[in-house]
Amino acid sequence: MEDKVKLSIVMPVFNEGVNLKMILPILEAVVETPHETLIVHDIPNDDSIPVVKLLQKKYTSLKLVHNTLGRGVINAIKTGVDNAAGKYVLNGTDVSKMEDNQLADIRNTEIGFVFQTFNLLPRYTALENVMLPLIYAGKDKAVRIERAMKVLDD
């Protein structure tokens, strides 16, 4: 089956058994691309587990994956990606075999994160908080200040 998979759908769950009973049949009905669905759980007594095991009899592309990296959505997504069939290709680049420093560069240039809270660092000013991602992007100080000031002025 791995050779046929063109899409891996990663679904982090926490006691989502009732919702999985509804969403998985819909997902299977609308996704036409050969795919696998990875249900990633954090805890052994998650009520999603027996539901997935039952649904695996009907949906053979359904995989149950235990997240051992630690609780949370980001760790669950990483676990799902690590367990997905085939290669992980982002913007035409196979990132599945990259080293940590290469992956950090990809995350810095290709992926954006939107947090539910602002996650501002209290020891920094508003200007310094806005400049922080530009430091990671390697922008020089003058450019960081100019761009951050523009954003704060708008």
XYZ file of all heavy atoms in Angstrom, residues 58-138:
628
model
N -13.090 -1.454 8.383
C -13.765 -0.948 7.192
C -12.831 -0.092 6.328
O -12.901 -0.127 5.108
C -14.981 -0.119 7.609
C -15.810 0.373 6.446
C -17.081 1.034 6.912
C -17.929 1.448 5.728
N -19.165 2.094 6.139
N -11.968 0.681 6.968
C -11.075 1.589 6.257
C -9.635 1.119 6.442
O -8.999 1.405 7.449
C -11.244 3.027 6.765
C -12.662 3.515 6.720
C -13.382 3.751 7.887
C -13.303 3.728 5.499
C -14.692 4.197 7.846
C -14.611 4.170 5.451
C -15.302 4.402 6.626
O -16.595 4.843 6.573
N -9.118 0.431 5.452
C -7.785 -0.176 5.567
C -6.659 0.858 5.520
O -5.534 0.549 5.889
C -7.564 -1.214 4.453
O -7.732 -0.579 3.185
C -8.545 -2.366 4.592
N -6.959 2.072 5.097
C -5.937 3.113 5.032
C -5.782 3.842 6.372
O -4.989 4.769 6.488
C -6.282 4.130 3.939
O -7.470 4.814 4.274
N -6.509 3.411 7.362
C -6.508 4.046 8.680
C -5.434 3.439 9.573
O -5.368 2.219 9.736
C -7.892 3.856 9.311
C -8.266 4.659 10.535
C -8.137 6.146 10.291
C -9.704 4.326 10.924
N -4.553 4.299 10.119
C -3.490 3.831 11.008
C -3.625 4.522 12.357
O -3.914 5.715 12.428
C -2.112 4.158 10.435
C -1.743 3.414 9.192
C -0.329 3.800 8.767
C 0.094 3.080 7.515
N 1.443 3.490 7.096
N -3.374 3.775 13.398
C -3.373 4.311 14.760
C -1.919 4.449 15.194
O -1.154 3.487 15.147
C -4.128 3.367 15.689
C -4.333 3.821 17.121
C -5.145 5.107 17.182
C -5.028 2.730 17.921
N -1.534 5.655 15.607
C -0.142 5.934 15.951
C -0.097 6.545 17.349
O -0.823 7.491 17.640
C 0.494 6.909 14.932
C 1.934 7.193 15.290
C 0.379 6.371 13.515
N 0.785 5.995 18.192
C 0.967 6.531 19.542
C 2.072 7.576 19.529
O 3.197 7.304 19.124
C 1.306 5.404 20.523
C 1.445 5.872 21.933
N 2.231 5.225 22.836
C 0.912 6.922 22.594
C 2.172 5.859 23.996
N 1.386 6.897 23.866
N 1.748 8.785 19.964
C 2.719 9.871 20.051
C 3.574 9.667 21.294
O 3.079 9.774 22.410
C 1.981 11.210 20.122
C 2.908 12.368 20.396
O 4.118 12.273 20.222
N 2.336 13.473 20.833
N 4.842 9.379 21.108
C 5.757 9.169 22.235
C 6.687 10.364 22.447
O 7.577 10.311 23.285
C 6.610 7.906 22.019
O 7.331 8.047 20.793
C 5.734 6.660 21.965
N 6.478 11.440 21.708
C 7.352 12.614 21.816
C 6.929 13.562 22.932
O 7.647 14.498 23.251
C 7.376 13.381 20.486
C 7.958 12.623 19.301
C 7.853 13.470 18.045
C 9.404 12.252 19.570
N 5.761 13.350 23.484
C 5.232 14.267 24.492
C 3.904 14.825 24.027
O 3.633 14.883 22.838
N 3.083 15.217 24.973
C 1.746 15.697 24.627
C 1.797 16.975 23.813
O 2.728 17.743 23.899
C 0.943 15.919 25.913
C 0.654 14.590 26.597
C -0.304 14.724 27.713
N -1.582 15.173 27.176
C -2.608 15.495 27.931
N -2.525 15.404 29.222
N -3.735 15.893 27.388
N 0.757 17.178 23.050
C 0.618 18.409 22.286
C 0.505 18.169 20.798
O 0.953 17.158 20.269
N -0.129 19.134 20.147
C -0.419 19.030 18.723
C 0.856 18.993 17.881
O 0.966 18.186 16.959
C -1.342 20.186 18.267
C -1.536 20.172 16.766
C -2.683 20.092 18.969
N 1.827 19.836 18.192
C 3.057 19.870 17.386
C 3.767 18.522 17.449
O 4.205 17.987 16.426
C 3.994 21.010 17.854
C 3.342 22.377 17.636
C 5.343 20.934 17.148
C 3.067 22.740 16.198
N 3.874 17.943 18.650
C 4.514 16.625 18.783
C 3.709 15.557 18.067
O 4.264 14.642 17.462
C 4.699 16.266 20.255
C 5.822 17.045 20.894
O 6.777 17.415 20.237
N 5.701 17.313 22.176
N 2.387 15.654 18.133
C 1.533 14.682 17.448
C 1.708 14.779 15.930
O 1.782 13.766 15.236
C 0.073 14.891 17.834
N 1.797 15.987 15.422
C 1.999 16.167 13.980
C 3.359 15.597 13.573
O 3.473 14.886 12.574
C 1.867 17.651 13.580
C 0.411 18.092 13.746
C 2.360 17.880 12.153
C 0.198 19.586 13.606
N 4.393 15.895 14.345
C 5.723 15.353 14.038
C 5.696 13.830 14.050
O 6.235 13.181 13.151
C 6.765 15.871 15.022
C 8.155 15.344 14.701
C 9.238 16.081 15.414
C 10.628 15.600 15.154
N 10.901 14.662 14.135
N 5.035 13.241 15.038
C 4.912 11.781 15.103
C 4.187 11.252 13.878
O 4.589 10.250 13.285
C 4.176 11.358 16.390
O 4.956 11.761 17.517
C 3.942 9.861 16.443
N 3.109 11.925 13.479
C 2.365 11.506 12.296
C 3.208 11.568 11.042
O 3.218 10.625 10.234
N 3.941 12.660 10.866
C 4.806 12.803 9.687
C 5.878 11.725 9.696
O 6.174 11.107 8.665
C 5.422 14.220 9.622
C 6.514 14.303 8.572
C 4.341 15.261 9.342
N 6.467 11.471 10.870
C 7.505 10.440 10.972
C 6.981 9.048 10.627
O 7.730 8.200 10.161
C 8.110 10.415 12.382
C 8.991 11.628 12.678
O 9.337 12.361 11.721
O 9.315 11.845 13.861
N 5.703 8.808 10.849
C 5.106 7.495 10.598
C 4.387 7.400 9.253
O 3.837 6.353 8.926
C 4.136 7.132 11.720
C 4.853 6.720 12.975
O 5.226 5.569 13.123
N 5.096 7.666 13.868
N 4.384 8.464 8.502
C 3.690 8.475 7.212
C 4.442 7.631 6.194
O 5.659 7.489 6.258
C 3.544 9.909 6.705
N 3.698 7.092 5.250
C 4.291 6.295 4.174
C 5.025 7.211 3.203
O 4.645 8.353 2.997
C 3.198 5.528 3.440
N 6.075 6.691 2.628
C 6.763 7.413 1.562
C 7.598 8.574 2.041
O 8.096 8.596 3.153
N 7.743 9.571 1.177
C 8.576 10.728 1.433
C 7.720 11.905 1.867
O 6.548 12.004 1.510
C 9.325 11.134 0.166
C 10.258 10.103 -0.372
C 11.018 10.685 -1.540
C 10.713 9.887 -2.779
N 11.314 10.415 -3.970
N 8.336 12.810 2.582
C 7.687 14.072 2.941
C 8.298 15.141 2.051
O 9.471 15.481 2.175
C 7.901 14.373 4.421
C 7.317 15.673 4.893
C 6.109 16.160 4.397
C 7.971 16.429 5.841
C 5.574 17.348 4.831
C 7.442 17.624 6.288
C 6.248 18.080 5.776
O 5.727 19.268 6.212
N 7.513 15.635 1.086
C 8.003 16.602 0.118
C 7.304 17.935 0.370
O 6.076 18.003 0.415
C 7.731 16.115 -1.326
C 8.197 17.143 -2.335
C 8.410 14.778 -1.561
N 8.110 18.966 0.564
C 7.591 20.314 0.804
C 8.123 21.230 -0.283
O 9.343 21.371 -0.442
C 8.027 20.800 2.190
C 7.600 22.204 2.581
C 6.073 22.261 2.731
C 8.262 22.623 3.875
N 7.230 21.806 -1.056
C 7.616 22.688 -2.162
C 8.655 22.042 -3.076
O 9.635 22.666 -3.476
C 8.138 24.027 -1.640
C 7.028 24.903 -1.112
O 5.863 24.702 -1.416
N 7.391 25.864 -0.298
N 8.463 20.766 -3.361
C 9.340 20.061 -4.282
C 10.634 19.534 -3.674
O 11.445 18.955 -4.365
N 10.835 19.743 -2.378
C 12.054 19.289 -1.708
C 11.722 18.142 -0.762
O 10.828 18.268 0.077
C 12.687 20.449 -0.894
O 12.962 21.533 -1.773
C 13.962 20.008 -0.204
N 12.442 17.026 -0.905
C 12.252 15.889 -0.006
C 12.898 16.233 1.332
O 14.124 16.306 1.438
C 12.883 14.631 -0.600
C 12.718 13.408 0.290
O 12.122 13.515 1.373
O 13.189 12.331 -0.116
N 12.084 16.458 2.346
C 12.606 16.825 3.661
C 12.617 15.641 4.630
O 13.027 15.788 5.779
C 11.816 18.010 4.275
C 11.938 19.247 3.407
C 10.360 17.652 4.494
N 12.215 14.475 4.145
C 12.083 13.321 5.044
C 13.407 12.811 5.580
O 13.436 12.153 6.620
C 11.317 12.192 4.346
O 11.966 11.796 3.165
N 14.491 13.100 4.919
C 15.800 12.598 5.366
C 16.751 13.715 5.798
O 17.929 13.489 5.970
C 16.461 11.792 4.237
C 15.627 10.644 3.713
C 15.488 9.534 4.734
C 14.779 8.352 4.099
N 13.691 7.856 4.859
N 16.226 14.922 5.969
C 17.085 16.048 6.328
C 17.529 15.980 7.787
O 16.832 15.440 8.633
C 16.357 17.370 6.091
C 16.235 17.759 4.659
S 15.486 19.400 4.534
C 15.796 19.752 2.831
N 18.680 16.574 8.054
C 19.200 16.702 9.413
C 18.445 17.817 10.138
O 17.791 18.653 9.510
C 20.699 17.031 9.370
C 21.541 15.974 8.682
C 21.558 14.658 9.445
O 21.520 14.679 10.689
O 21.604 13.601 8.779
N 18.582 17.855 11.464
C 17.861 18.840 12.277
C 18.138 20.280 11.858
O 17.225 21.098 11.792
C 18.188 18.658 13.761
C 17.522 17.431 14.354
O 16.591 16.882 13.723
O 17.920 17.021 15.464
N 19.403 20.619 11.575
C 19.722 22.006 11.199
C 19.105 22.366 9.844
O 18.677 23.504 9.632
C 21.234 22.265 11.218
C 22.001 21.398 10.247
O 21.534 20.349 9.815
N 23.208 21.835 9.910
N 19.028 21.405 8.923
C 18.389 21.644 7.632
C 16.888 21.840 7.820
O 16.283 22.703 7.192
C 18.652 20.476 6.678
C 20.104 20.323 6.275
C 20.316 19.025 5.509
O 20.021 17.944 6.010
N 20.839 19.151 4.283
N 16.289 21.025 8.691
C 14.866 21.162 8.967
C 14.558 22.509 9.621
O 13.537 23.128 9.335
C 14.384 20.016 9.858
C 14.358 18.646 9.191
C 14.088 17.560 10.225
C 13.319 18.607 8.083
N 15.450 22.976 10.493
C 15.268 24.289 11.126
C 15.246 25.385 10.061
O 14.428 26.312 10.125
C 16.369 24.542 12.150
N 16.135 25.279 9.067
C 16.146 26.253 7.971
C 14.838 26.217 7.189
O 14.281 27.259 6.834
C 17.321 25.997 7.019
C 18.663 26.370 7.620
O 18.700 27.152 8.591
O 19.688 25.873 7.105
N 14.329 25.016 6.913
C 13.056 24.872 6.192
C 11.914 25.503 7.004
O 11.095 26.244 6.471
C 12.749 23.378 5.907
C 13.740 22.805 4.900
C 11.311 23.169 5.464
C 13.540 23.279 3.478
N 11.877 25.196 8.305
C 10.823 25.770 9.154
C 10.904 27.289 9.167
O 9.883 27.976 9.193
C 10.918 25.220 10.577
C 10.422 23.800 10.709
C 10.288 23.387 12.172
N 11.557 23.343 12.860
C 12.375 22.294 12.895
N 12.041 21.183 12.273
N 13.507 22.351 13.566
N 12.104 27.814 9.126
C 12.291 29.258 9.170
C 11.872 29.942 7.873
O 11.403 31.074 7.888
C 13.759 29.575 9.483
C 13.990 31.049 9.695
O 13.143 31.754 10.230
N 15.140 31.515 9.273
N 12.030 29.262 6.750
C 11.777 29.904 5.461
C 10.502 29.445 4.761
O 9.974 30.160 3.917
C 12.958 29.667 4.499
O 13.157 28.262 4.329
C 14.239 30.309 5.020
N 9.990 28.254 5.090
C 8.875 27.686 4.332
C 7.578 27.514 5.124
O 6.527 27.311 4.529
C 9.268 26.305 3.780
C 10.463 26.312 2.856
C 10.179 26.989 1.522
O 9.018 27.019 1.089
O 11.137 27.502 0.932
N 7.656 27.532 6.454
C 6.478 27.212 7.260
C 6.199 28.359 8.220
O 7.120 28.885 8.850
C 6.704 25.906 8.065
C 6.951 24.742 7.115
C 5.521 25.620 8.980
C 7.359 23.456 7.793
N 4.954 28.744 8.324
C 4.556 29.758 9.295
C 3.692 29.129 10.370
O 2.958 28.182 10.122
N 3.822 29.630 11.550
C 3.026 29.141 12.669
C 2.126 30.261 13.159
O 2.572 31.401 13.309
C 3.918 28.677 13.829
C 4.727 27.458 13.514
C 6.027 27.566 13.060
C 4.176 26.198 13.656
C 6.772 26.441 12.766
C 4.907 25.063 13.349
C 6.208 25.192 12.910
N 0.876 29.939 13.420
C -0.048 30.880 14.030
C -0.430 30.287 15.372
O -0.971 29.184 15.452
C -1.308 31.097 13.158
C -2.279 32.022 13.851
C -0.910 31.632 11.791
N -0.107 31.020 16.437
C -0.357 30.521 17.779
C -1.694 31.043 18.287
O -2.167 32.098 17.863
C 0.768 30.945 18.723
C 2.092 30.348 18.369
C 3.032 31.053 17.620
C 2.404 29.058 18.772
C 4.248 30.495 17.291
C 3.623 28.481 18.439
C 4.542 29.209 17.702
N -2.288 30.318 19.224
C -3.566 30.726 19.787
C -3.410 31.910 20.736
O -4.345 32.640 20.978
C -4.225 29.549 20.499
C -4.632 28.468 19.537
C -5.135 27.224 20.248
O -4.789 26.971 21.386
N -5.954 26.464 19.565
N -2.223 32.081 21.287
C -1.928 33.247 22.114
C -0.764 33.971 21.463
O -0.093 33.440 20.580
C -1.554 32.827 23.553
O -0.430 31.956 23.497
C -2.715 32.126 24.243
N -0.493 35.176 21.912
C 0.528 35.972 21.241
C 1.943 35.459 21.467
O 2.824 35.683 20.664
C 0.436 37.439 21.668
C -0.787 38.119 21.135
C -1.815 38.472 21.982
C -0.914 38.373 19.778
C -2.934 39.095 21.487
C -2.032 38.989 19.275
C -3.052 39.352 20.133
N 2.189 34.770 22.575
C 3.516 34.231 22.882
C 4.607 35.294 22.830
O 5.718 35.035 22.374
C 3.875 33.073 21.948
C 3.033 31.855 22.227
O 2.798 31.520 23.380
N 2.566 31.200 21.189
N 4.282 36.492 23.275
C 5.294 37.539 23.343
C 6.203 37.267 24.528
O 5.779 36.736 25.555
C 4.631 38.911 23.499
C 3.730 39.338 22.343
C 3.050 40.663 22.668
C 4.511 39.444 21.049
N 7.457 37.633 24.381
C 8.412 37.452 25.467
C 8.363 38.692 26.356
O 8.665 39.802 25.893
C 9.813 37.226 24.902
C 9.943 35.997 24.002
C 11.335 35.906 23.404
C 9.619 34.730 24.769
N 7.977 38.532 27.622
C 7.743 39.694 28.486
C 8.984 40.542 28.760
O 8.870 41.728 29.044
C 7.196 39.089 29.779
C 7.505 37.650 29.726
C 7.706 37.277 28.287
N 10.166 39.945 28.644
C 11.374 40.716 28.925
C 11.787 41.600 27.745
O 12.718 42.396 27.851
C 12.510 39.789 29.341
C 12.990 38.851 28.268
C 14.096 37.919 28.793
N 14.524 36.996 27.788
C 13.960 35.812 27.551
N 12.943 35.411 28.272
N 14.424 35.027 26.606
N 11.106 41.444 26.613
C 11.420 42.234 25.430
C 10.357 43.300 25.196
O 9.194 43.127 25.559
C 11.498 41.344 24.175
C 12.671 40.391 24.137
C 12.565 39.177 23.492
C 13.888 40.707 24.717
C 13.638 38.293 23.438
C 14.955 39.832 24.668
C 14.830 38.637 24.033
O 15.890 37.773 23.979
N 10.752 44.376 24.532
C 9.796 45.402 24.126
C 8.977 44.869 22.950
O 9.313 43.823 22.360
C 10.533 46.681 23.673
O 11.283 46.377 22.486
C 11.446 47.220 24.773
N 7.938 45.605 22.588
C 7.133 45.216 21.417
C 8.015 45.176 20.171
O 7.926 44.251 19.361
C 5.977 46.190 21.226
N 8.891 46.187 20.026
C 9.793 46.230 18.877
C 10.693 45.001 18.834
O 10.834 44.357 17.793
C 10.645 47.506 18.925
C 11.640 47.677 17.782
C 10.916 47.864 16.451
C 12.564 48.857 18.063
N 11.259 44.623 19.965
C 12.151 43.461 20.014
C 11.394 42.163 19.720
O 11.919 41.270 19.053
C 12.837 43.383 21.379
C 13.845 44.499 21.603
C 14.317 44.607 23.044
O 13.518 44.318 23.962
O 15.484 44.972 23.245
N 10.158 42.056 20.203
C 9.350 40.867 19.916
C 9.068 40.744 18.424
O 9.114 39.653 17.867
C 8.040 40.909 20.705
C 8.147 40.248 22.051
O 8.167 39.026 22.138
N 8.229 41.043 23.104
N 8.781 41.862 17.775
C 8.501 41.838 16.334
C 9.772 41.527 15.552
O 9.735 40.843 14.529
C 7.871 43.171 15.873
C 7.746 43.220 14.348
C 6.511 43.375 16.529
N 10.915 41.977 16.049
C 12.184 41.757 15.364
C 12.686 40.315 15.491
O 13.484 39.863 14.667
C 13.263 42.705 15.919
C 13.055 44.149 15.522
S 14.164 45.329 16.368
C 15.730 44.540 16.333
N 12.246 39.595 16.493
C 12.795 38.272 16.790
C 12.803 37.314 15.592
O 13.834 36.715 15.290
C 12.054 37.661 17.984
C 12.713 36.483 18.661
C 14.124 36.817 19.115
C 11.875 36.038 19.851
N 11.698 37.136 14.863
C 11.751 36.219 13.704
C 12.738 36.681 12.629
O 13.311 35.873 11.903
C 10.324 36.228 13.154
C 9.484 36.807 14.219
C 10.358 37.659 15.073
N 12.955 37.987 12.546
C 13.895 38.503 11.556
C 15.337 38.183 11.939
O 16.194 38.036 11.065
C 13.700 40.017 11.397
C 12.300 40.440 10.910
C 12.140 41.949 10.974
C 12.044 39.917 9.516
N 15.589 38.057 13.238
C 16.918 37.622 13.691
C 17.155 36.199 13.205
O 18.202 35.886 12.640
C 17.033 37.711 15.229
C 17.011 39.171 15.677
C 18.304 37.008 15.720
C 16.883 39.352 17.180
N 16.150 35.322 13.436
C 16.279 33.927 13.001
C 16.429 33.817 11.485
O 17.052 32.891 10.980
C 15.077 33.098 13.452
C 14.901 33.045 14.950
C 13.647 33.179 15.512
C 15.982 32.854 15.796
C 13.482 33.117 16.889
C 15.827 32.803 17.166
C 14.572 32.932 17.712
O 14.403 32.877 19.057
N 15.847 34.786 10.773
C 15.933 34.782 9.309
C 17.254 35.358 8.813
O 17.494 35.396 7.606
C 14.756 35.557 8.717
N 18.103 35.828 9.740
C 19.423 36.318 9.357
C 19.449 37.739 8.817
O 20.424 38.130 8.185
